[in-house]
Amino acid sequence: MKENRLSQALIRHVRTTGYGDIPAAALAAQKQSLADMLAVMLAATGLDAASAPFAAFAAEEGRGRCTILGREEKTSPMLAALANGALVHALDYEDSHETATVHPNSAALPALMALSQHIGGVSGRSFLTAMALASDICCRLDLGVNEDLLKYGWNMPPIHGSMGAVLGAGKLLDLDEGQLADAVALNLCQATCSGEAANSAGSAVRTVREGFAAQAAVQSALLAGRGVPARFETPFEGKLGYYHMYARDNYTPEKVLEGLGTVFQGQFISFKPWPSCRATHTSIDGVLTLMREHHIKPGEIQSIHITLQEIGRMVTEPRDVKYRPRSAAIAKFSLPFVVGTAAVCGQVGLDSFETERLSDPAVLAMGDKVTCAIRPGWTKEQNKYTDLTIRTVRGEFSLHLEHPLGCVEHPMGEEALRRKFLDCAARAKKPICPERLEQLYGTILHLEELEDMNGLFDLL
């Protein structure tokens, strides 16, 4: 492999890092992420129709020993990753990262889950190591990007996620550096996602996209392990590599590598208190806070003005789509809808996006009172900064927010995360009794003691 700084450093980082090299806080975050995402996936088996064909396809077309959540049948690792991956983002309730615009483990978890069952005997420590590396790489790839790549047509979270997942999968399979490079190259030829899904009310691609990302990662890692000589000399920074393909070379490699091996970005995972796009959460928090503190009633509200960083465009534009969302997927990506829901209902929950709620006249009328401005001066590191003003018959009430509920600086708290886990998991298509859910949660929180991950997955 030709000497290069970025690609070689990332691949070597994955190859050489062991469980003992990962900070305790990062490992704790991965365990909480595993619990949170498994519960969200279980909820999706009972609430999301778009992912059901993926599960049926995996059950009918695959053979193997890998779990399909919500079904009794087993399937192959690729199809398990596809079917379970289609559940991860279905409810838009999985973890995120405040600076990197990604869902760090959305592709990694279904990929690593499938591979763990496929190869067998994977310890909790090995699983956590692979998961921590996958989320670290996923976040770092986005941190290096200097602009929003949606304007070029790319929906980057599943693309970054798949690249992190393939390296995590390679770690689980104990691939050497050359094989890891093969896996990256193979994945680079498969992982993609169009941004047009966000503008298409009838499309389920935005909700099931992680299935394709996870499937590509598993397939690439397994093929690399079988000796496919696919490696590119400079897959990430090359003349026609990753950052040229997606970012048109507008990236900063130093940001990708900063703190590599000592700072694990998965330590800074955020957990969602509300099932909607993370870019809406400071606004939800701000509206609920102002209404609570100043005893504002919905009928008093004349307008709600919100100022956001550049990321705010994706939850407010195009106007006709976002102010009258025609699907749950679009509604979760609509600032007017979720803020209107918060103001009228006093909460935003899984039930807020049922079909009949999308045409609720009170919510839509409140959403029409929402206006949004973009402040270009706020940086990528300030992408959740929000200024919010509610104008009422009694006057104006304003608030500046920097950290949405659920992030490291403003945590939900252990009990709230546990309640979310139990609430989501209880909605699973295949019922799990409360005692078993408690056992599942406890096993995850002590995952480093588990000798075989099948001891966890057998509880699902």
Side-chain angles (χ1 to χ4, degrees), residues 392-414:
T392 75
V393 295
R394 293 189 281 118
E396 292 188 351
F397 303 93
S398 298
L399 189 64
H400 173 75
L401 301 97
E402 297 185 358
H403 304 297
L405 181 61
C407 69
V408 174
E409 296 84 359
H410 188 192
M412 288 174 62
E414 291 182 10

Side-chain angles (χ1 to χ4, degrees), residues 54-88:
F54 290 79
F57 179 71
E60 293 165 11
E61 302 297 334
R63 298 292 180 270
R65 46 184 174 269
C66 303
T67 296
I68 307 168
L69 291 176
R71 297 185 70 108
E72 298 294 340
E73 302 95 333
K74 302 291 185 178
T75 191
S76 68
M78 280 80 75
L79 291 183
L82 175 68
N84 294 331
L87 297 167
V88 176

Side-chain angles (χ1 to χ4, degrees), residues 35-54:
D36 190 74
M37 290 180 59
L38 273 180
V40 169
M41 292 162 73
L42 288 170
T45 65
L47 298 176
D48 179 62
S51 57
F54 290 79

Side-chain angles (χ1 to χ4, degrees), residues 126-140:
S126 295
F127 190 92
L128 285 171
T129 301
M131 195 170 167
L133 287 165
S135 61
D136 188 39
I137 297 295
C138 172
C139 294
R140 287 178 176 280

Side-chain angles (χ1 to χ4, degrees), residues 203-326:
S203 175
V205 166
R206 184 180 167 274
T207 65
V208 301
R209 65 192 189 189
E210 263 70 26
F212 302 114
Q215 181 187 34
V218 169
Q219 181 166 283
S220 298
L222 287 173
L223 285 171
R226 288 179 175 270
V228 178
R231 68 200 67 173
F232 299 152
E233 293 184 344
T234 50
F236 291 110
E237 74 276 36
K239 185 177 180 181
L240 300 176
Y242 188 78
Y243 281 114
H244 177 78
M245 287 172 60
Y246 295 115
R248 304 189 181 189
D249 297 314
N250 187 10
Y251 76 106
T252 305
E254 290 78 15
K255 290 182 180 179
V256 183
L257 298 176
E258 185 177 357
L260 186 69
T262 57
V263 176
F264 285 76
Q265 289 297 327
Q267 178 176 335
F268 309 109
I269 283 175
S270 294
F271 300 97
K272 288 187 174 185
W274 304 291
S276 63
C277 176
R278 188 61 169 167
T280 67
H281 282 204
T282 42
S283 298
I284 295 171
D285 196 6
V287 166
L288 293 176
T289 298
L290 286 176
M291 292 184 71
R292 181 178 64 252
E293 291 181 353
H294 300 285
H295 308 289
I296 300 171
K297 294 180 173 60
E300 297 180 284
I301 297 176
Q302 297 175 327
S303 67
I304 302 174
H305 184 70
I306 303 170
T307 301
L308 298 168
Q309 191 257 10
E310 192 70 26
I311 197 174
R313 295 190 188 280
M314 72 177 179
V315 292
T316 57
E317 299 174 0
R319 182 182 174 86
D320 60 328
V321 172
K322 297 304 167 71
Y323 277 80
R324 289 296 181 272
R326 292 187 288 123

Side-chain angles (χ1 to χ4, degrees), residues 177-190:
E177 287 189 30
Q179 292 171 316
L180 288 170
D182 291 331
V184 167
L186 289 166
N187 207 55
L188 195 52
C189 296
Q190 298 178 78

